[in-house]
Amino acid sequence: MTRQTARALRLTVFVGESDTWHHRPLYSEIVHRAHAAGLAGASVFRGIEGFGASSLIHTSRLLSLSEDLPVAVVIVDTELRVRAFLPHLDDIVTEGLVTLDECEVIRYTGPGDDPGPADTKGKNWL
């Protein structure tokens, strides 16, 4: 096993589960745009409870309020790639919150993996 570390930027987009873009879940559109932009990866996390600017608490415990649970789309890549991706959000995120955090990435590769400077898509993590 090989362990590699690098500096990165984490982009988190907080939206509602019921938010859509052209009849498609907004979180799905963000993931597909990140993929098309060649970013290293994106994950969607569904919250079980939360509130936003409206101050209305949404929770999975009450059926009437479980229709718009909080969703976080998390993307981690180099700062340059993440910042270049931000304009892709401008026309689709009409309500929500975006945060940017510097982070350190620890990447583990197995004995058969090539831990070279670039992956199959040419992304240099180190």
Side-chain angles (χ1 to χ4, degrees), residues 5-86:
T5 62
R7 301 298 304 161
L9 193 64
R10 178 179 51 226
L11 164 70
T12 306
V13 183
F14 296 95
V15 295
E17 184 179 35
S18 65
D19 294 346
T20 60
W21 174 255
H22 292 201
H23 308 290
R24 176 183 198 170
L26 179 58
Y27 60 84
S28 181
E29 181 66 21
I30 294 169
V31 167
H32 283 83
R33 287 186 181 210
H35 185 260
L39 294 174
S43 297
V44 178
F45 300 94
R46 182 178 189 227
I48 58 171
E49 188 166 8
F51 70 93
S54 70
S55 295
L56 178 63
I57 294 179
H58 299 272
T59 177
S60 61
R61 291 179 288 142
L62 301 173
L63 286 177
S64 63
L65 295 178
S66 65
E67 297 166 354
D68 194 22
L69 293 170
V71 173
V73 181
V74 179
I75 298 168
V76 178
D77 206 320
T78 64
E79 181 174 359
L80 184 64
R81 287 190 183 104
V82 169
R83 291 197 182 277
F85 179 70
L86 289 174

Coordinates of all heavy atoms in Angstrom, one line a residue, residues 5-86:
T5 N -0.1 12.3 -0.3 CA -0.8 13.4 0.3 C -0.7 14.6 -0.7 O 0.3 14.7 -1.4 CB -0.4 13.8 1.7 OG1 1.0 14.2 1.6 CG2 -0.5 12.6 2.7
A6 N -1.7 15.4 -0.7 CA -1.6 16.6 -1.5 C -2.6 17.7 -0.9 O -3.5 17.3 -0.2 CB -2.0 16.3 -2.9
R7 N -2.4 18.9 -1.2 CA -3.3 20.0 -0.9 C -4.5 20.0 -1.9 O -4.2 19.7 -3.1 CB -2.6 21.4 -0.9 CG -1.5 21.5 0.1 CD -1.8 21.3 1.5 NE -2.8 22.2 2.0 CZ -3.6 22.1 3.1 NH1 -3.4 21.0 3.8 NH2 -4.5 22.9 3.4
A8 N -5.7 20.3 -1.5 CA -6.8 20.3 -2.4 C -7.8 21.3 -1.9 O -7.6 22.0 -0.8 CB -7.5 18.9 -2.4
L9 N -8.9 21.5 -2.6 CA -10.0 22.4 -2.3 C -11.3 21.6 -2.3 O -11.5 20.8 -3.2 CB -10.1 23.6 -3.2 CG -11.0 24.7 -2.8 CD1 -10.4 25.4 -1.6 CD2 -11.1 25.7 -4.0
R10 N -12.0 21.7 -1.2 CA -13.3 21.0 -1.1 C -14.4 22.0 -1.4 O -14.5 23.0 -0.7 CB -13.5 20.3 0.3 CG -14.8 19.6 0.4 CD -15.0 19.0 1.8 NE -14.7 19.9 2.9 CZ -13.9 19.6 3.9 NH1 -13.3 18.4 4.0 NH2 -13.6 20.5 4.9
L11 N -15.3 21.7 -2.3 CA -16.4 22.5 -2.7 C -17.7 21.7 -2.1 O -17.8 20.5 -2.4 CB -16.5 22.6 -4.2 CG -17.9 23.1 -4.8 CD1 -18.1 24.5 -4.4 CD2 -17.8 22.9 -6.3
T12 N -18.5 22.4 -1.3 CA -19.7 21.8 -0.8 C -20.9 22.7 -1.3 O -20.9 23.9 -1.0 CB -19.7 21.6 0.7 OG1 -18.5 20.9 1.1 CG2 -20.9 20.8 1.2
V13 N -21.8 22.1 -1.9 CA -23.0 22.8 -2.4 C -24.2 22.2 -1.6 O -24.5 21.1 -1.6 CB -23.3 22.6 -3.9 CG1 -24.5 23.4 -4.3 CG2 -22.0 22.9 -4.7
F14 N -24.8 23.1 -0.8 CA -26.0 22.7 0.0 C -27.3 23.2 -0.7 O -27.4 24.4 -1.0 CB -25.9 23.4 1.4 CG -24.8 23.0 2.3 CD1 -23.6 23.7 2.3 CD2 -24.9 21.8 3.0 CE1 -22.5 23.3 3.0 CE2 -23.8 21.4 3.8 CZ -22.6 22.1 3.8
V15 N -28.1 22.2 -1.0 CA -29.4 22.5 -1.7 C -30.5 21.7 -1.0 O -30.2 20.9 -0.2 CB -29.3 22.3 -3.2 CG1 -28.3 23.2 -3.9 CG2 -28.9 20.8 -3.5
G16 N -31.7 21.9 -1.5 CA -32.8 21.1 -1.0 C -33.0 19.8 -1.9 O -32.7 19.9 -3.1
E17 N -33.4 18.8 -1.3 CA -33.6 17.5 -2.1 C -34.6 17.7 -3.2 O -34.5 17.1 -4.3 CB -34.1 16.4 -1.1 CG -34.2 15.1 -1.8 CD -34.7 14.0 -0.7 OE1 -35.4 14.4 0.2 OE2 -34.2 12.9 -0.9
S18 N -35.6 18.6 -3.0 CA -36.6 18.8 -4.1 C -36.2 19.8 -5.1 O -37.0 20.0 -6.1 CB -38.0 19.1 -3.4 OG -37.9 20.4 -2.8
D19 N -35.1 20.5 -5.0 CA -34.6 21.4 -6.0 C -34.4 20.7 -7.3 O -33.7 19.7 -7.3 CB -33.4 22.2 -5.5 CG -33.6 23.1 -4.3 OD1 -34.8 23.3 -4.0 OD2 -32.7 23.5 -3.6
T20 N -34.8 21.3 -8.4 CA -34.6 20.7 -9.7 C -34.0 21.7 -10.7 O -34.1 22.9 -10.5 CB -36.0 20.2 -10.3 OG1 -36.9 21.3 -10.4 CG2 -36.6 19.2 -9.4
W21 N -33.5 21.1 -11.8 CA -33.0 21.9 -12.9 C -33.5 21.1 -14.1 O -33.1 20.0 -14.4 CB -31.5 21.9 -12.9 CG -30.9 22.6 -14.1 CD1 -30.3 21.9 -15.2 CD2 -31.0 23.9 -14.5 NE1 -30.0 22.8 -16.1 CE2 -30.3 24.1 -15.8 CE3 -31.4 25.1 -13.9 CZ2 -30.2 25.3 -16.4 CZ3 -31.3 26.3 -14.5 CH2 -30.7 26.4 -15.7
H22 N -34.4 21.7 -14.9 CA -35.0 21.1 -16.1 C -35.6 19.7 -15.8 O -35.3 18.7 -16.4 CB -34.0 21.0 -17.2 CG -33.7 22.4 -17.7 ND1 -33.1 22.6 -19.0 CD2 -33.7 23.6 -17.2 CE1 -32.9 23.9 -19.2 NE2 -33.3 24.5 -18.1
H23 N -36.4 19.6 -14.7 CA -37.1 18.4 -14.3 C -36.2 17.3 -13.8 O -36.6 16.1 -13.8 CB -38.0 17.9 -15.4 CG -38.9 18.9 -16.0 ND1 -40.0 19.4 -15.3 CD2 -38.9 19.6 -17.2 CE1 -40.6 20.3 -16.0 NE2 -40.0 20.5 -17.2
R24 N -35.0 17.6 -13.4 CA -34.0 16.7 -12.9 C -33.5 17.2 -11.6 O -33.4 18.4 -11.4 CB -32.8 16.6 -13.9 CG -31.7 15.8 -13.5 CD -30.6 15.9 -14.5 NE -29.6 14.8 -14.4 CZ -28.7 14.6 -15.3 NH1 -28.5 15.4 -16.4 NH2 -27.9 13.6 -15.1
P25 N -33.3 16.3 -10.6 CA -32.8 16.7 -9.3 C -31.5 17.6 -9.5 O -30.6 17.3 -10.2 CB -32.5 15.4 -8.6 CG -33.3 14.4 -9.2 CD -33.4 14.8 -10.7
L26 N -31.5 18.7 -8.8 CA -30.4 19.7 -8.9 C -29.1 19.0 -8.5 O -28.0 19.2 -9.2 CB -30.6 20.9 -8.1 CG -29.5 22.0 -8.0 CD1 -29.2 22.4 -9.5 CD2 -29.9 23.1 -7.1
Y27 N -29.1 18.2 -7.4 CA -27.9 17.5 -7.0 C -27.3 16.6 -8.1 O -26.1 16.5 -8.3 CB -28.1 16.8 -5.7 CG -29.1 15.7 -5.7 CD1 -28.8 14.4 -6.2 CD2 -30.4 15.9 -5.3 CE1 -29.8 13.4 -6.2 CE2 -31.4 14.9 -5.3 CZ -31.0 13.7 -5.8 OH -32.0 12.7 -5.8
S28 N -28.2 16.0 -8.8 CA -27.8 15.1 -9.9 C -27.1 15.9 -11.1 O -26.1 15.5 -11.7 CB -28.9 14.3 -10.5 OG -28.5 13.4 -11.5
E29 N -27.7 17.1 -11.4 CA -27.2 18.0 -12.4 C -25.8 18.4 -12.0 O -24.9 18.5 -12.8 CB -28.1 19.2 -12.6 CG -27.6 20.1 -13.7 CD -27.6 19.5 -15.1 OE1 -28.3 18.5 -15.4 OE2 -26.9 20.1 -16.0
I30 N -25.6 18.8 -10.7 CA -24.3 19.2 -10.3 C -23.3 18.1 -10.4 O -22.1 18.3 -10.9 CB -24.4 19.7 -8.8 CG1 -25.2 21.0 -8.7 CG2 -23.0 20.0 -8.3 CD1 -25.6 21.3 -7.3
V31 N -23.6 16.9 -10.1 CA -22.7 15.7 -10.2 C -22.3 15.5 -11.6 O -21.2 15.3 -12.0 CB -23.3 14.5 -9.6 CG1 -22.5 13.2 -10.0 CG2 -23.4 14.6 -8.0
H32 N -23.3 15.5 -12.5 CA -23.1 15.3 -14.0 C -22.2 16.4 -14.6 O -21.3 16.2 -15.4 CB -24.4 15.1 -14.7 CG -24.9 13.7 -14.5 ND1 -25.7 13.4 -13.4 CD2 -24.8 12.6 -15.2 CE1 -26.1 12.2 -13.5 NE2 -25.6 11.6 -14.6
R33 N -22.4 17.6 -14.1 CA -21.6 18.7 -14.6 C -20.1 18.6 -14.1 O -19.2 18.9 -14.8 CB -22.2 20.1 -14.2 CG -23.4 20.5 -15.0 CD -23.8 21.9 -14.7 NE -25.0 22.2 -15.5 CZ -25.4 23.4 -15.9 NH1 -24.6 24.4 -15.6 NH2 -26.5 23.6 -16.6
A34 N -20.0 18.2 -12.9 CA -18.7 18.0 -12.3 C -17.9 16.8 -13.1 O -16.7 17.0 -13.4 CB -18.7 17.6 -10.8
H35 N -18.7 15.8 -13.4 CA -18.1 14.7 -14.2 C -17.7 15.2 -15.6 O -16.6 14.9 -16.0 CB -19.1 13.6 -14.3 CG -18.6 12.3 -14.9 ND1 -18.8 12.0 -16.3 CD2 -17.8 11.3 -14.5 CE1 -18.2 10.9 -16.6 NE2 -17.6 10.5 -15.5
A36 N -18.5 15.9 -16.2 CA -18.2 16.4 -17.6 C -17.1 17.4 -17.5 O -16.3 17.5 -18.5 CB -19.5 17.1 -18.2
A37 N -16.9 18.1 -16.4 CA -15.8 19.0 -16.3 C -14.5 18.3 -16.0 O -13.4 19.0 -15.9 CB -16.1 20.1 -15.2
G38 N -14.5 17.0 -15.7 CA -13.3 16.3 -15.5 C -12.8 16.4 -14.1 O -11.6 16.1 -13.8
L39 N -13.7 16.7 -13.1 CA -13.2 16.8 -11.7 C -13.0 15.4 -11.2 O -13.5 14.4 -11.7 CB -14.3 17.5 -10.9 CG -14.4 19.0 -11.3 CD1 -15.6 19.7 -10.5 CD2 -13.1 19.8 -11.0
A40 N -12.2 15.3 -10.1 CA -11.8 14.1 -9.6 C -12.9 13.2 -9.0 O -12.9 12.0 -9.1 CB -10.7 14.3 -8.5
G41 N -13.9 13.8 -8.5 CA -15.0 13.1 -7.9 C -16.1 14.0 -7.3 O -15.8 15.1 -7.0
A42 N -17.3 13.4 -7.1 CA -18.3 14.1 -6.4 C -19.2 13.1 -5.7 O -19.4 12.0 -6.2 CB -19.2 14.9 -7.4
S43 N -19.7 13.5 -4.5 CA -20.6 12.6 -3.7 C -21.7 13.5 -3.2 O -21.6 14.7 -2.9 CB -19.8 12.1 -2.5 OG -18.8 11.2 -3.0
V44 N -22.9 12.8 -3.1 CA -24.1 13.5 -2.6 C -24.5 12.8 -1.3 O -24.5 11.6 -1.2 CB -25.3 13.3 -3.6 CG1 -26.5 14.0 -3.1 CG2 -24.9 13.9 -5.0
F45 N -24.7 13.7 -0.3 CA -25.1 13.3 1.0 C -26.4 13.9 1.4 O -26.6 15.1 1.3 CB -24.0 13.7 2.1 CG -22.7 13.1 1.8 CD1 -21.7 13.8 1.0 CD2 -22.3 11.8 2.2 CE1 -20.5 13.3 0.8 CE2 -21.1 11.3 1.9 CZ -20.2 12.0 1.2
R46 N -27.3 13.0 1.8 CA -28.7 13.4 2.1 C -28.8 13.6 3.6 O -28.4 12.7 4.4 CB -29.7 12.3 1.7 CG -31.1 12.7 2.0 CD -32.0 11.6 1.4 NE -33.4 11.9 1.5 CZ -34.3 11.1 2.0 NH1 -34.0 9.9 2.4 NH2 -35.6 11.5 2.0
G47 N -29.2 14.8 4.0 CA -29.3 15.1 5.4 C -30.6 14.5 6.0 O -31.6 14.3 5.3
I48 N -30.6 14.2 7.3 CA -31.8 13.7 7.9 C -32.6 14.8 8.7 O -33.7 14.6 9.0 CB -31.5 12.5 8.9 CG1 -30.5 13.0 10.0 CG2 -31.0 11.3 8.1 CD1 -30.4 11.9 11.1
E49 N -31.9 15.9 8.8 CA -32.6 17.1 9.4 C -31.8 18.3 9.2 O -30.5 18.3 9.1 CB -32.7 16.9 10.9 CG -33.6 17.9 11.6 CD -34.0 17.5 13.0 OE1 -33.5 16.4 13.5 OE2 -34.8 18.1 13.6
G50 N -32.4 19.5 9.0 CA -31.7 20.7 8.8 C -32.6 21.8 8.5 O -33.9 21.7 8.3
F51 N -32.1 23.1 8.5 CA -32.8 24.2 8.1 C -31.9 25.2 7.3 O -30.6 25.1 7.5 CB -33.5 24.9 9.3 CG -32.5 25.6 10.2 CD1 -32.2 26.9 10.0 CD2 -32.0 24.9 11.2 CE1 -31.4 27.6 10.9 CE2 -31.1 25.5 12.1 CZ -30.8 26.9 12.0
G52 N -32.4 26.1 6.6 CA -31.6 27.0 5.8 C -32.2 28.4 6.0 O -32.6 28.7 7.1
A53 N -32.1 29.2 5.0 CA -32.4 30.6 5.1 C -33.9 30.8 5.5 O -34.2 31.8 6.1 CB -32.2 31.3 3.7
S54 N -34.8 29.9 5.2 CA -36.2 30.0 5.5 C -36.4 29.8 7.0 O -37.5 30.1 7.5 CB -37.0 29.0 4.7 OG -36.8 27.7 5.2
S55 N -35.5 29.2 7.7 CA -35.6 28.9 9.1 C -36.6 27.8 9.4 O -36.9 27.5 10.6 CB -35.9 30.1 10.0 OG -34.8 31.0 10.0
L56 N -37.2 27.2 8.4 CA -38.1 26.0 8.5 C -37.3 24.8 8.7 O -36.4 24.5 7.8 CB -39.0 25.9 7.3 CG -40.0 24.8 7.3 CD1 -41.0 25.0 8.5 CD2 -40.8 24.8 6.0
I57 N -37.5 24.0 9.8 CA -36.7 22.8 10.0 C -37.4 21.7 9.2 O -38.5 21.4 9.3 CB -36.7 22.4 11.5 CG1 -35.8 23.5 12.2 CG2 -36.1 21.1 11.7 CD1 -35.7 23.3 13.7
H58 N -36.6 21.0 8.4 CA -37.0 19.9 7.6 C -36.4 18.6 8.3 O -35.2 18.6 8.6 CB -36.5 20.0 6.1 CG -37.0 21.2 5.4 ND1 -38.2 21.2 4.7 CD2 -36.5 22.4 5.3 CE1 -38.4 22.3 4.2 NE2 -37.4 23.1 4.5
T59 N -37.2 17.6 8.4 CA -36.7 16.4 9.1 C -37.4 15.2 8.5 O -38.5 15.3 8.0 CB -37.1 16.5 10.6 OG1 -36.6 15.3 11.3 CG2 -38.5 16.7 10.9
S60 N -36.6 14.1 8.6 CA -37.2 12.8 8.1 C -38.1 12.2 9.1 O -38.8 11.2 8.7 CB -36.0 11.9 7.7 OG -35.3 11.6 8.9
R61 N -38.3 12.8 10.3 CA -39.1 12.2 11.3 C -40.6 12.6 11.1 O -41.5 12.0 11.7 CB -38.6 12.6 12.7 CG -37.3 12.0 13.0 CD -36.8 12.4 14.4 NE -36.4 13.8 14.3 CZ -36.5 14.7 15.2 NH1 -37.2 14.4 16.3 NH2 -36.1 15.9 15.1
L62 N -40.8 13.7 10.4 CA -42.2 14.1 10.2 C -42.5 14.0 8.7 O -41.9 14.6 7.8 CB -42.4 15.6 10.6 CG -42.1 15.9 12.1 CD1 -42.2 17.4 12.3 CD2 -43.1 15.2 13.0
L63 N -43.5 13.2 8.3 CA -43.8 13.0 6.9 C -44.1 14.3 6.2 O -43.7 14.5 5.0 CB -45.0 12.1 6.8 CG -44.7 10.6 7.1 CD1 -46.0 9.8 7.0 CD2 -43.7 10.1 6.1
S64 N -44.8 15.3 6.8 CA -45.1 16.5 6.1 C -43.9 17.4 5.8 O -44.0 18.2 4.9 CB -46.1 17.3 6.9 OG -45.5 17.7 8.2
L65 N -42.8 17.2 6.5 CA -41.6 18.0 6.3 C -40.5 17.3 5.7 O -39.4 17.8 5.5 CB -41.2 18.7 7.6 CG -42.2 19.6 8.2 CD1 -41.6 20.1 9.6 CD2 -42.5 20.8 7.3
S66 N -40.7 16.0 5.3 CA -39.6 15.2 4.8 C -39.5 15.3 3.3 O -38.7 14.6 2.7 CB -39.8 13.7 5.2 OG -41.0 13.2 4.6
E67 N -40.2 16.2 2.6 CA -40.2 16.3 1.2 C -39.0 17.1 0.7 O -38.7 17.0 -0.5 CB -41.5 16.9 0.7 CG -42.7 16.1 1.0 CD -44.0 16.9 0.9 OE1 -44.0 18.1 0.6 OE2 -45.1 16.3 1.0
D68 N -38.4 17.9 1.5 CA -37.3 18.8 1.0 C -36.1 18.7 2.0 O -35.7 19.7 2.6 CB -37.8 20.2 0.8 CG -36.8 21.0 0.0 OD1 -36.0 20.4 -0.7 OD2 -36.8 22.3 0.2
L69 N -35.6 17.5 2.2 CA -34.5 17.4 3.1 C -33.2 18.0 2.6 O -33.1 18.2 1.4 CB -34.2 15.9 3.4 CG -35.4 15.2 4.2 CD1 -35.2 13.7 4.2 CD2 -35.4 15.7 5.6
P70 N -32.3 18.4 3.4 CA -31.1 19.0 2.9 C -30.2 18.0 2.2 O -30.2 16.8 2.6 CB -30.4 19.5 4.2 CG -31.0 18.7 5.3 CD -32.4 18.3 4.9
V71 N -29.5 18.5 1.2 CA -28.6 17.6 0.4 C -27.3 18.4 0.3 O -27.3 19.6 0.0 CB -29.2 17.3 -1.0 CG1 -28.2 16.6 -1.9 CG2 -30.4 16.5 -0.9
A72 N -26.2 17.7 0.4 CA -24.9 18.3 0.3 C -24.1 17.6 -0.9 O -24.0 16.4 -0.8 CB -24.0 18.3 1.5
V73 N -23.7 18.3 -1.9 CA -22.9 17.8 -2.9 C -21.4 18.2 -2.6 O -21.1 19.4 -2.5 CB -23.3 18.3 -4.3 CG1 -22.4 17.7 -5.4 CG2 -24.7 18.0 -4.6
V74 N -20.5 17.2 -2.4 CA -19.2 17.5 -2.1 C -18.2 17.1 -3.2 O -18.3 15.9 -3.7 CB -18.8 16.7 -0.8 CG1 -17.3 17.0 -0.4 CG2 -19.7 17.1 0.4
I75 N -17.4 18.0 -3.6 CA -16.4 17.8 -4.7 C -15.0 18.2 -4.1 O -14.9 19.2 -3.5 CB -16.8 18.7 -5.9 CG1 -18.2 18.3 -6.4 CG2 -15.7 18.6 -7.0 CD1 -18.7 19.3 -7.4
V76 N -14.1 17.3 -4.4 CA -12.7 17.6 -3.9 C -11.8 17.4 -5.1 O -11.8 16.4 -5.8 CB -12.2 16.7 -2.8 CG1 -10.8 16.9 -2.4 CG2 -13.1 16.8 -1.6
D77 N -11.0 18.5 -5.4 CA -10.0 18.4 -6.5 C -9.0 19.5 -6.2 O -9.0 20.2 -5.2 CB -10.7 18.7 -7.8 CG -9.9 18.0 -9.0 OD1 -8.7 18.1 -9.0 OD2 -10.6 17.5 -9.9
T78 N -8.1 19.8 -7.1 CA -7.2 20.9 -7.0 C -7.9 22.2 -6.9 O -9.0 22.3 -7.5 CB -6.1 20.9 -8.1 OG1 -6.8 21.2 -9.3 CG2 -5.4 19.6 -8.3
E79 N -7.3 23.2 -6.3 CA -7.9 24.5 -6.2 C -8.2 25.1 -7.6 O -9.3 25.6 -7.8 CB -7.0 25.5 -5.4 CG -7.7 26.8 -5.3 CD -7.0 27.8 -4.4 OE1 -5.9 27.4 -3.8 OE2 -7.4 28.9 -4.3
L80 N -7.3 24.9 -8.5 CA -7.5 25.5 -9.9 C -8.7 24.8 -10.5 O -9.5 25.6 -11.1 CB -6.2 25.2 -10.7 CG -6.2 25.8 -12.1 CD1 -6.3 27.3 -12.0 CD2 -5.0 25.3 -12.8
R81 N -8.9 23.5 -10.4 CA -10.0 22.9 -11.1 C -11.3 23.2 -10.4 O -12.3 23.4 -11.1 CB -9.8 21.4 -11.1 CG -8.7 20.9 -12.1 CD -8.8 19.4 -12.2 NE -7.7 18.9 -13.1 CZ -6.6 18.4 -12.7 NH1 -6.4 18.2 -11.4 NH2 -5.7 18.0 -13.6
V82 N -11.3 23.3 -9.1 CA -12.6 23.6 -8.4 C -13.0 25.0 -8.7 O -14.2 25.3 -9.0 CB -12.4 23.4 -6.9 CG1 -13.6 24.0 -6.1 CG2 -12.3 21.9 -6.5
R83 N -12.1 26.0 -8.6 CA -12.4 27.4 -8.9 C -12.9 27.5 -10.4 O -13.8 28.3 -10.7 CB -11.3 28.3 -8.6 CG -11.1 28.4 -7.1 CD -10.3 29.5 -6.7 NE -10.0 29.5 -5.2 CZ -10.9 30.0 -4.3 NH1 -12.0 30.5 -4.7 NH2 -10.6 30.0 -3.0
A84 N -12.3 26.8 -11.3 CA -12.8 26.8 -12.7 C -14.2 26.3 -12.9 O -14.9 26.6 -13.8 CB -11.8 26.1 -13.6
F85 N -14.6 25.4 -11.9 CA -15.9 24.8 -12.0 C -17.0 25.7 -11.5 O -18.2 25.6 -11.8 CB -15.9 23.4 -11.2 CG -17.2 22.7 -11.2 CD1 -17.7 22.2 -12.4 CD2 -18.0 22.7 -10.1 CE1 -19.0 21.5 -12.4 CE2 -19.2 22.0 -10.1 CZ -19.7 21.4 -11.2
L86 N -16.7 26.6 -10.6 CA -17.7 27.5 -10.0 C -18.7 28.1 -10.9 O -19.9 28.2 -10.6 CB -17.0 28.5 -9.1 CG -16.4 28.0 -7.8 CD1 -15.6 29.1 -7.1 CD2 -17.4 27.3 -6.9

